[in-house]
């Protein structure tokens, strides 16, 4: 679950370079927005799809890199 204000999510290992990260909000009417990406974690926020307000919520994500 992503908190209001955003959350840092670790990959479980460290990439050599910043990976491609694709987060998806799982709740209707919300969208996930990446705040930052690093080799060991990324920070994401969940926003209301209409107002853009930071509301928090649940995401799924996928990362790929080297």
């Amino acid at each position: 679950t992503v908190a209001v204000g955003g959350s840092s999510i670790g990959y479980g290992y460290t990439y050599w370079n910043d990976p491609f990260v694709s987060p998806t909000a799982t709740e209707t009417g919300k969208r996930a927005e990446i705040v930052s990406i690093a080799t060991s974690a990324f920070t994401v926020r969940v926003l209301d799809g209409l107002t853009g307000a930071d509301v928090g919520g649940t995401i799924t994500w996928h990362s790929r890199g080297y």
Side-chain angles (χ1 to χ4, degrees):
T1 301
V2 176
V4 173
S7 296
S8 178
I9 300 173
Y11 309 118
Y13 50 89
T14 300
Y15 287 99
W16 289 100
N17 298 301
D18 292 350
F20 170 78
V21 180
S22 178
T24 303
T26 60
E27 298 163 278
T28 302
K30 295 183 180 182
R31 63 183 175 87
E33 176 182 84
I34 295 173
V35 176
S36 64
I37 298 174
T39 56
S40 60
F42 69 100
T43 302
V44 63
R45 301 185 309 164
V46 176
L47 308 176
D48 181 284
L50 294 177
T51 67
D54 188 342
V55 294
T58 305
I59 67 166
T60 60
W61 59 273
H62 177 79
S63 64
R64 173 171 273 177
Y66 301 98

